[in-house]
Amino acid sequence: MLTIALRGIANNPFRYVATALAIVLGIAFFSATSVLTTSFEESLNDTIAEAFQDVDIAVRSANTIETPIIDIRERIPPSVADEVGEVDGVAWVFPFLAGYAQVVAADGKTVGGADANAQAVAWIDDNAVNPMTVVAGRAPSAPDEVVMDVNTFDEGGFSLGDSVQVLPLGPQQRFTVVGSIDDGGTFGGQVLSFSFAGAAMVFGGSEVDQVFVGAAAGTTPDQLVDRLNRELSADLEAVTGDTLTDEFQELVGQFTDIIEIALQVFAGVALFVGAFVIYNTFTITVAQRTREMALLRAIGATGRQVSVSVVVESAAIGVIASAVGAAAGIGVGWGLLQLLGSFIGDLDLSLVIPPGGLIQGVVLGTVITVAAAYIPARRGAKVDPIEAMREAAAEAGGPARGRLYSGLGVLAAGAAATIWSSVSGEERILYGALPLVVIAIVLLGPAIVRPLSRVLALPAVRRGSITGELARENASRNPKRSSTTSLTLMIGVALVVTATVFAATLSELIAGDLDEELLADQVVTISDAVAGAGGGLDPAIAAAIGDLDGVEAAVGTRTAFAQIDDDFASVTGADTAQLAAVADLGLVEGRVTDLGPDEVAVREPTADNEGLAVGDTVTVRFQQGAASLTVAGIYNRGYQLTGEWLVDNSLLDASLGRSLDTRILVRAEGADQSLIASIDAALASDPTAGISSRGDFIDDQAGQITDLLTLLYALLGMSVVVALIGIVNTMSLSIHERTRELGLLRAVGMTARQLRRTVRYESAIIALIGTVAGLVLGLFFGWAAFDALGLAYSDFAIPWAALLAICLAGLVAGLLSGVLPARRAGRLEVLDAIAAQ
Amino acid sequence: MSENPPKSQTAGMIRPDSDPGVAYTENAARYYGSGAAEVRALDGVDVSFGSGEFTAIMGPSGSGKSTLMHCMAGLDTLTSGNVFIDGEDLTAMSDRERTLLRRDKLGFVFQAFNLVPTLNARENIVLPQRLAGRGHDEAWLDEVVATVGLGDRLDHRPNELSGGQQQRVAVSRALVSKPKLVFADEPTGNLDSTTSDEILAFMRRAVDDLAQTIVMVTHDPSAAAYAHRVIFLVDGKIVNEMLDPTSDAVLDHMKTLGN
Ligand SMILES: Nc1ncnc2c1ncn2[C@@H]1O[C@H](COP(=O)(O)OP(=O)(O)OP(=O)(O)O)[C@@H](O)[C@H]1O
Ligand SMILES: [Mg+2]
């Protein structure tokens, strides 16, 4: 039987190409994910270990602000370095100071575009400890000297001795370029370095992140850590360099794990779709081989032997395809790594092949193939020997009644649950309805194939096209096969539609919110990269704009991470004296304007959650310093502009080394070209700033989700591709099965072109069924996700244009999937086809 | 195999030379394979089929009957020689031209698998005209269908029809477009004698009453007896022909060929 199984593959390699391809693609995706994240993690880990290899001990604040991603520590005064230096067994100390700075090139622009990443550190004078090395010139020593990484140096066309502006400082303050450095791969993007005094000036304070310590000979780092922790104040803690490395590597690990899991979810969807394709292939081939199997049974093979032969066949394909997929995954992973590297900048990324991940991929692919082939294999075992004598009837009858009724039952239950949940407002019931609806669609699939293909073929049939009519009949002649084929496409489409609908709704919500909140006519913004690096605009810029004739108010806003009553909070700072002119926060109680440095305003939902009322006090801890604040007011709008917590800029100025504006909201009603030009001129001192009109700003903010959507589309694309391969496969197998009929059609006068068109139409109908089903399901999912957010139904946005585009894409994809099978059908020799068994 | 020398290599002598017939071949040859494995399925055949004539082609298995039909219908191409249908040389035509010729001028009835399973009887019958994007003559369709005796089965799909009914549908399809010529390859080969008699009688009626031209391959002498003449093929050559055959005469002649 084993020989028969393997010979089956060897004799008919074509019908397994699609099966194999479905697995190859899914496993390649899966393995590439593993290769990419492992390589990325290991490369980062190497860099981290290298960066800290000479650090025996770090002394830092014991107080952290726990953001959802990373713990930020309070800064400590540089005098801690002196304190530590006096402790027994300390060989050397270096205060470590890092922050945002960016050099301006001769053309008045930043280097590497608006989205470039930029950081700066204080130079460490000890060559043994400093991971950076001077490439040309020398290290910075005077406060007004700067060095930069070689890439920035070359790209910006700098030379030693140049006098440059350094952001966020203004152009009056000049720095001299004294050298270029190799940053040792520690950071990606632009890296500047100053003397300690210079850095303190740029960052607006000399408070340091941590103090690096070297142990003297004869003292182990562990001994010294113990000693330091005993002798230093309770607000400080000492850890070994190894601990520091571990902490960073753990952070990187968590980060890459999240990415890996997220990517693998998408790989999983593609594999799930692939499983359907395999199931379908084996179902069709088992049906086509009914006679062969019956013959085997008739000459004495047991049912078990027949089904084992199918399972062996699937296992062989699974192993081969998965191995090919894993190998391809290494290549794809390498490609993605290069791509990632080009985005991140000069970070050393080297390929690491994770054997575990690859083995997992091969096992997974094989298991999926065998599992998907199991039901068809069982069906093969049930073939009656008598079938060998009958005319092979590969055609299946109409949809089974039981299946139809249970499908309708499940659908009714799903609908009831949906209605119940929307009436009762209990979302959890809706979560129960989701799987019910999916199951109902799968059960009802075969029953809806015929009516749906009737509708979809209508435009063609209306024109009196016989090819359209034949395509329609062919699509619905084996409803189970067509429905399984199209449902694979439905999965991908449903997810795409869900994301599209959800994003459209969110984006409309953001636009709607902003439209209500924003009173400003112009908004000055900086890129996310600069804001993310802690950069921003010098508050003097907002002041300068405010002083322009015709400008009513120019309000700088900024954000800071804080711990409020022990919970993480993102706090927005604004010039609250003028805020009312540029933003309508929807005051609920108290006052949100003219906040003092000891006051805070809270948005209503958070106030409700925390049980806060006007007059209550909260404790706020920033990276530098803590404060006790009184709740001065509660507002209910302003989520987009001021977030949940609003304080006056004066508080942030006092609590942060240098607090920079990330946005300037400008009220200048009827601003003309010359006023805009004056605002532009005021921004000239910082090339990272850009100005947009109110409408453009709102569109921009609302459109950011759409960018995310593009990434999602790319990730879901793989499952759609696998589903399309499934369609190609089903069509090819069906054509093979109908060889004789096609020969007849050609004999009585169907041209090869008509035949090809028929095949393409059929494929398009099947693809459209999947697309339409996916559309309906996706709309339902999107609505459910939206409902879970607890928003009003009137806000639910249906992006008609996008949905229409998805339908058209489905149609085109279907037609394209039909091209190969159609060519095959068109090439049939009429005589051979007529003579075929 | 017969060692009989061919009595006549020129069939179609029932017509004067001035009428070449609606379809004829000139020295038609079809070889399969090459070298030692070469099979001469047709080996220099000159045959002509006149308008309004019902011809039966007979001969031992493997004698080239189907090959002759396929080549004349443009389903297969000759190794050498020419085929003319309605005055047009098939050998010079492209695949598309031959397809259009089949669709517009020829009708077919095969032994089995004659119908498209997804179409009902009526749709199968008008299929060639639909493919040509033309309408059909409804009155003529009614006449044909009534003559074959299909009347009430027109809305049924092939799997709901008996073998005999399916062949009636096939014959109707072949006739309904009023083709120049109908080719039938063992149209009653799978049927019992009563049913096959009905169908053959209808085919003869189509020729006599409806002025159709039919060429039919058959192994059955009693089927051949429905034809105006019978042509005998052996080893790819025409060895004899018989006018106004009776089944006994055909059977007798077959015996001489068979040995
Ligand atoms: N495609 C082919 N390749 C090789 N040889 C072929 C092919 N088709 C037919 N032949 C050979 O050509 C000869 C004539 O075949 P053909 O089918 O015309 O015979 P036939 O008279 O129709 O026989 P039957 O009565 O059995 O249908 C046979 O010897 C056959 O084996
Ligand atoms: Mg034959």
Side-chain angles (χ1 to χ4, degrees):
Chain A
M1 290 308 285
L2 189 70
T3 337
I4 290 176
L6 298 179
R7 199 162 288 166
I9 302 176
N11 287 345
N12 253 317
F14 183 83
R15 68 180 173 212
Y16 296 107
V17 167
T19 316
L21 211 53
I23 284 295
V24 167
L25 286 182
I27 295 300
F29 190 175
F30 181 87
S31 310
T33 299
S34 177
V35 169
L36 176 68
T37 49
T38 311
S39 300
F40 186 63
E41 180 174 357
E42 305 252 313
S43 302
L44 273 184
N45 283 348
D46 287 350
T47 310
I48 292 166
E50 212 172 294
F52 293 125
Q53 74 186 5
D54 298 312
V55 174
D56 291 333
I57 290 159
V59 175
R60 61 194 188 186
S61 166
N63 301 325
T64 57
I65 297 170
E66 290 159 24
T67 78
I69 307 164
I70 179 177
D71 290 357
I72 311 175
R73 282 177 194 271
E74 283 185 6
R75 294 196 157 165
I76 53 177
S79 57
V80 169
D82 302 332
E83 246 175 84
V84 171
E86 275 152 30
V87 174
D88 241 12
V90 171
W92 51 260
V93 287
F94 279 105
F96 181 72
L97 193 51
Y100 164 73
Q102 189 162 190
V103 69
V104 179
D107 61 1
K109 299 208 171 83
T110 52
V111 179
D115 285 329
N117 199 9
Q119 305 182 58
V121 291
W123 186 259
I124 298 174
D125 285 322
D126 189 331
N127 282 339
V129 180
N130 192 345
M132 304 183 184
T133 49
V134 173
V135 174
R138 58 174 174 81
S141 56
D144 63 349
E145 289 174 349
V146 63
V147 295
M148 63 188 86
D149 66 287
V150 274
N151 290 340
T152 307
F153 188 86
D154 293 342
E155 207 181 317
F158 295 100
S159 0
L160 298 180
D162 280 358
S163 166
V164 296
Q165 178 194 353
V166 169
L167 298 173
L169 302 181
Q172 316 78 291
Q173 207 146 4
R174 307 308 294 182
F175 287 78
T176 309
V177 179
V178 296
S180 64
I181 53 167
D182 175 351
D183 62 33
T186 316
F187 307 97
Q190 184 177 136
V191 179
L192 302 185
S193 189
F194 306 92
S195 67
F196 189 85
M201 180 172 70
V202 173
F203 303 151
S206 59
E207 236 105 32
V208 302
D209 297 303
Q210 47 201 340
V211 172
F212 292 141
V213 181
T219 314
T220 68
D222 287 329
Q223 288 170 334
L224 191 53
V225 162
D226 288 345
R227 194 174 305 154
L228 284 167
N229 280 333
R230 267 197 315 273
E231 295 189 13
L232 295 172
S233 79
D235 280 340
L236 298 172
E237 68 173 22
V239 293
T240 61
D242 291 344
T243 309
L244 214 52
T245 306
D246 290 348
E247 279 179 11
F248 267 93
Q249 292 185 344
E250 194 182 327
L251 188 71
V252 168
Q254 283 170 3
F255 173 71
T256 49
D257 277 357
I258 290 171
I259 296 199
E260 179 165 13
I261 290 169
L263 289 176
Q264 280 179 352
V265 166
F266 289 97
V269 173
L271 281 170
F272 182 68
V273 170
F276 269 90
V277 172
I278 295 160
Y279 167 82
N280 224 12
T281 309
F282 275 89
T283 302
I284 298 172
T285 52
V286 164
Q288 287 179 350
R289 283 188 299 173
T290 300
R291 284 192 97 164
E292 178 190 325
M293 290 176 171
L295 192 66
L296 287 173
R297 295 277 283 114
I299 61 172
T302 64
R304 219 182 114 75
Q305 280 174 315
V306 170
S307 69
V308 164
S309 83
V310 176
V311 169
V312 167
E313 202 172 299
S314 66
I317 292 162
V319 170
I320 295 169
S322 307
V324 172
I330 297 176
V332 175
W334 180 82
L336 290 176
L337 200 64
Q338 301 305 309
L339 203 66
L340 189 66
S342 71
F343 276 124
I344 294 184
D346 49 358
L347 187 60
D348 275 331
L349 293 175
S350 48
L351 184 68
V352 179
I353 295 170
L358 296 187
I359 292 170
Q360 254 178 34
V362 173
V363 172
L364 187 67
T366 310
V367 167
I368 287 176
T369 314
V370 173
Y374 184 69
I375 296 174
R378 287 290 305 275
R379 223 173 273 149
K382 291 206 195 94
V383 167
D384 204 316
I386 200 76
E387 297 278 346
M389 318 308 154
R390 293 210 190 110
E391 272 304 336
E395 305 287 317
R401 266 176 185 241
R403 183 169 176 164
L404 177 65
Y405 291 142
S406 49
L408 287 174
V410 177
L411 187 66
T418 307
I419 294 170
W420 183 17
S421 101
S422 70
V423 169
S424 67
E426 185 62 64
E427 291 127 27
R428 261 170 306 173
I429 302 169
L430 193 58
Y431 300 146
L434 293 183
L436 287 181
V437 172
V438 176
I439 293 169
I441 290 188
V442 171
L443 286 175
L444 291 176
I448 57 177
V449 161
R450 179 170 287 275
L452 209 50
S453 41
R454 207 161 275 270
V455 172
L456 294 175
L458 208 58
V461 174
R462 270 270 174 76
R463 279 189 281 113
S465 152
I466 177 74
T467 47
E469 215 169 292
L470 283 171
R472 177 192 70 198
E473 293 306 318
N474 283 337
S476 47
R477 75 199 283 178
N478 194 334
K480 250 195 216 159
R481 181 187 297 181
S482 296
S483 98
T484 321
T485 308
S486 54
L487 291 192
T488 54
L489 186 59
M490 175 191 82
I491 298 167
V493 173
L495 294 176
V496 164
V497 170
T498 306
T500 308
V501 167
F502 193 68
T505 301
L506 274 191
S507 143
E508 281 208 1
L509 278 175
I510 292 171
D513 281 358
L514 274 176
D515 198 44
E516 279 181 0
E517 297 168 15
L518 187 63
L519 301 177
D521 310 291
Q522 305 286 330
V523 181
V524 175
T525 55
I526 55 169
S527 78
D528 288 346
V530 171
L537 305 173
D538 190 326
I541 295 177
I545 296 175
D547 285 344
L548 292 173
D549 259 356
V551 172
E552 269 172 68
V555 178
T557 66
R558 40 189 99 157
T559 53
F561 290 155
Q563 196 103 349
I564 297 185
D565 287 347
D566 294 330
D567 287 326
F568 167 74
S570 175
V571 174
T572 304
D575 177 0
T576 54
Q578 298 189 73
L579 187 61
V582 292
D584 174 5
L585 298 193
L587 185 66
V588 174
E589 209 190 334
R591 143 184 78 75
V592 293
T593 50
D594 292 312
L595 296 178
D598 54 355
E599 287 180 323
V600 64
V602 193
R603 211 167 81 92
E604 202 173 19
T606 302
D608 289 349
N609 261 348
E610 310 278 320
L612 289 175
V614 171
D616 288 353
T617 54
V618 292
T619 317
V620 180
R621 211 148 46 74
F622 292 102
Q623 241 190 322
Q624 291 167 35
S628 183
L629 304 177
T630 310
V631 175
I634 292 173
Y635 55 95
N636 66 7
R637 281 186 198 161
Y639 177 70
Q640 301 298 334
L641 293 176
T642 56
E644 299 293 315
W645 302 90
L646 172 68
V647 299
D648 193 72
N649 279 342
S650 55
L651 172 66
L652 295 184
D653 284 337
S655 314
L656 301 167
R658 184 188 298 283
S659 172
L660 300 167
D661 290 334
T662 49
R663 242 179 226 166
I664 303 172
L665 309 176
V666 182
R667 175 77 174 259
E669 249 169 302
D672 56 8
Q673 283 307 317
S674 73
L675 182 56
I676 304 271
S678 316
I679 296 177
D680 255 340
L683 296 176
S685 63
D686 192 328
T688 62
I691 183 159
S692 39
S693 70
R694 179 177 186 275
D696 288 350
F697 173 75
I698 292 177
D699 287 349
D700 229 48
Q701 296 293 307
Q704 278 175 3
I705 295 211
T706 322
D707 295 347
L708 245 175
L709 207 55
T710 315
L711 178 68
L712 217 57
Y713 284 165
L715 292 171
L716 288 172
M718 185 59 83
S719 18
V720 173
V721 167
V722 171
L724 292 179
I725 289 174
I727 293 182
V728 174
N729 185 41
T730 302
M731 290 300 303
S732 302
L733 291 170
S734 298
I735 281 164
H736 175 72
E737 187 173 293
R738 295 180 206 147
T739 302
R740 210 164 188 302
E741 179 183 330
L742 300 182
L744 172 71
L745 281 167
R746 296 278 283 120
V748 301
M750 181 178 254
T751 60
R753 193 188 300 170
Q754 282 176 316
L755 180 55
R756 286 197 298 267
R757 197 183 302 149
T758 309
V759 174
R760 285 198 307 266
Y761 278 179
E762 181 182 350
S763 152
I765 290 173
I766 290 179
L768 274 178
I769 291 175
T771 309
V772 170
L775 220 61
V776 172
L777 194 63
L779 277 173
F780 183 70
F781 277 1
W783 179 75
F786 175 79
D787 196 53
L789 285 183
L791 299 164
Y793 293 138
S794 58
D795 293 329
F796 185 54
I798 298 179
W800 292 111
L803 296 190
L804 188 70
I806 289 171
C807 273
L808 283 179
L811 175 68
V812 171
L815 287 173
L816 288 180
S817 311
V819 165
L820 264 183
R823 278 236 218 105
R824 247 187 121 200
R827 273 204 305 264
L828 275 181
E829 285 292 336
V830 183
L831 257 193
D832 293 346
I834 291 172
Q837 279 304 317
Chain B
M1 281 291 148
S2 161
E3 287 298 310
N4 274 12
K7 286 180 186 158
S8 157
Q9 269 288 36
T10 41
M13 52 199 177
I14 49 173
R15 274 178 318 283
D17 281 349
S18 57
D19 177 9
V22 57
Y24 60 95
T25 63
E26 282 174 355
N27 202 19
R30 178 67 169 104
Y31 305 157
Y32 290 111
S34 59
E38 189 183 77
V39 176
R40 302 192 162 200
L42 291 181
D43 196 4
V45 171
D46 288 291
V47 68
S48 169
F49 302 107
S51 188
E53 203 180 57
F54 188 174
T55 313
I57 301 177
M58 299 199 74
S61 193
S63 56
K65 304 183 293 293
S66 296
T67 306
L68 175 61
M69 239 182 70
H70 291 152
C71 287
M72 293 201 69
L75 292 170
D76 197 356
T77 47
L78 289 175
T79 309
S80 67
N82 298 82
V83 173
F84 294 87
I85 302 281
D86 199 23
E88 294 180 82
D89 187 355
L90 240 64
T91 38
M93 287 186 179
S94 69
D95 174 66
R96 184 176 163 76
E97 287 168 327
R98 277 187 273 127
T99 304
L100 297 185
L101 178 120
R102 279 202 301 277
R103 191 177 75 190
D104 298 337
K105 296 191 172 168
L106 303 180
F108 285 94
V109 186
F110 299 105
Q111 183 174 350
F113 300 113
N114 259 305
L115 307 178
V116 178
T118 49
L119 301 178
N120 67 25
R122 170 191 291 276
E123 291 164 336
N124 263 292
I125 291 172
V126 299
L127 181 61
Q129 277 122 311
R130 292 286 314 275
L131 286 171
R134 278 196 302 265
H136 55 271
D137 181 344
E138 194 65 41
W140 174 237
L141 172 71
D142 288 345
E143 193 175 340
V144 170
V145 166
T147 324
V148 227
L150 262 178
D152 57 337
R153 313 292 296 173
L154 279 182
D155 293 330
H156 293 254
R157 293 211 177 176
N159 62 357
E160 298 158 345
L161 298 173
S162 72
Q165 285 166 335
Q166 287 183 28
Q167 287 309 80
R168 282 169 220 245
V169 175
V171 172
S172 306
R173 182 191 58 214
L175 290 174
V176 87
S177 58
K178 295 191 192 162
K180 296 281 176 201
L181 191 62
V182 172
F183 288 111
D185 195 349
E186 304 186 44
T188 56
N190 276 355
L191 304 177
D192 65 73
S193 62
T194 328
T195 316
S196 81
D197 280 345
E198 279 169 24
I199 290 184
L200 289 162
F202 166 67
M203 287 169 72
R204 174 70 188 233
R205 229 172 17 255
V207 173
D208 291 345
D209 304 351
L210 310 175
Q212 291 293 306
T213 310
I214 298 180
V215 177
M216 172 181 76
V217 169
T218 183
H219 280 287
D220 178 4
S222 56
Y226 282 88
H228 289 131
R229 73 168 167 152
V230 182
I231 288 170
F232 294 94
L233 267 181
V234 174
D235 291 346
K237 294 187 172 75
I238 292 179
V239 293
N240 203 352
E241 78 174 337
M242 184 184 288
L243 294 177
D244 295 319
T246 62
S247 66
D248 288 340
V250 171
L251 195 58
D252 286 345
H253 188 72
M254 296 267 290
K255 280 182 186 146
T256 69
L257 291 179
N259 320 324

